Amino acid sequence: DVKVTQSSRYLVKRTGEKVFLECVQDMDHENMFWYRQDPGLGLRLIYFSYDVKMKEKGDIPEGYSVSREKKERFSLILESASTNQTSMYLCASSKQGSGANVLTFGAGSRLTVL
Amino acid sequence: GENVEQHPSTLSVQEGDSAVIKCTYSDSASNYFPWYKQELGKRPQLIIDIRSNVGEKKDQRIAVTLNKTAKHFSLHITETQPEDSAVYFCAASQGWPNAGKSTFGDGTTLTVKP
């Protein structure tokens, strides 16, 4: 019963390549998030979205952009990948209202940039 | 913005002992404090949460306490078992329109020795 699906579990890209990470949720959640997870640094918010076509910067947006054309889909884009973007990327979603704070995470996409 | 500090970064206990993980936060507007557990190779999952109008919450062997005055909250696990071994993250967030925009601690790796 996977509810948040990330299209790629493992990716290897070259420096300068454009990278797309896709995330789809089937819970009709309004809120979607992209976090980056690095050892010893916890989860850091890159971008989030409260509605279709809406996006807000998180704590570390530099070098990233996002797209939300449909409610269920939130894409993270690395316009020109760099080695310091090698990391685990976690997508999450939550609903608005009283349960808005509870995050449901995807399985993660491990990106290696050579 | 919000800043969450989590201690210790690693914790090793014998099976059956108790484990305590502590977090502090900086933004007095934060009112929701979840704890996520991430087993090796898996996605983070919510295990317990507490809202600012409650001082303590229990769920079987897990409890969370919150001291709003001191801006700190703690996770208590009693009668630890090997399956409790994982990385635990605390987080802090606010209500709408920032709901779900959680700031995470750096994580605590808990090892329960049989």
Side-chain angles (χ1 to χ4, degrees):
Chain A
D1 63 338
V2 177
K3 299 175 180 178
V4 180
T5 303
Q6 295 184 229
S7 56
S8 304
R9 287 298 306 272
Y10 301 95
L11 303 93
V12 179
K13 298 292 181 181
R14 298 243 176 237
T15 300
E17 280 191 87
K18 191 169 186 177
V19 181
F20 290 88
L21 300 180
E22 302 284 337
C23 176
V24 177
Q25 51 92 7
D26 64 0
M27 296 171 288
D28 201 35
H29 283 174
E30 293 82 5
N31 307 327
M32 296 190 75
F33 308 84
W34 276 105
Y35 284 89
R36 171 177 171 161
Q37 182 176 18
D38 299 288
L41 295 178
L43 284 73
R44 293 178 292 167
L45 182 62
I46 304 172
Y47 267 97
F48 60 104
S49 170
Y50 289 135
D51 200 353
V52 175
K53 296 192 184 296
M54 174 272 178
K55 61 184 178 183
E56 294 253 356
K57 293 181 180 179
D59 299 318
I60 53 165
E62 296 78 18
Y64 305 94
S65 62
V66 291
S67 173
R68 192 162 182 205
E69 295 297 318
K70 294 185 178 181
K71 185 178 184 180
E72 67 270 20
R73 187 180 299 270
F74 193 35
S75 303
L76 181 69
I77 304 157
L78 287 68
E79 293 289 343
S80 178
S82 63
T83 55
N84 61 12
Q85 293 178 310
T86 292
S87 186
M88 171 68 84
Y89 291 88
L90 289 168
C91 175
S93 70
S94 71
K95 65 180 181 180
Q96 292 179 3
S98 60
N101 305 91
V102 178
L103 297 172
T104 301
F105 284 92
S109 297
R110 184 167 295 281
L111 172 66
T112 301
V113 182
L114 303 176
Chain B
E2 175 66 276
N3 181 50
V4 177
E5 294 191 359
Q6 182 173 347
H7 299 279
S9 57
T10 60
L11 180 58
S12 181
V13 300
Q14 287 293 135
E15 182 177 359
D17 288 350
S18 295
V20 180
I21 303 170
K22 299 181 179 181
C23 290
T24 61
Y25 62 98
S26 62
D27 192 340
S28 57
S30 291
N31 58 12
Y32 175 69
F33 308 93
W35 287 88
Y36 291 86
K37 175 184 180 181
Q38 186 176 31
E39 296 176 7
L40 190 62
K42 296 189 176 180
R43 69 193 75 193
Q45 291 194 303
L46 180 74
I47 55 170
I48 196 167
D49 56 11
I50 192 167
R51 298 193 183 271
S52 60
N53 57 348
V54 176
E56 182 176 2
K57 184 177 179 180
K58 283 186 179 181
D59 183 3
Q60 300 182 342
R61 296 185 296 108
I62 294 173
V64 57
T65 59
L66 171 65
N67 183 328
K68 282 214 72 180
T69 303
K71 295 197 189 71
H72 65 72
F73 55 112
S74 301
L75 177 71
H76 305 254
I77 306 174
T78 59
E79 301 172 19
T80 54
Q81 301 168 4
E83 51 264 39
D84 294 328
S85 296
V87 180
Y88 292 81
F89 293 98
C90 64
S93 68
Q94 302 174 21
W96 180 259
N98 294 313
K101 184 176 180 279
S102 301
T103 300
F104 285 81
D106 291 345
T108 295
T109 301
L110 173 63
T111 303
V112 180
K113 299 177 181 178

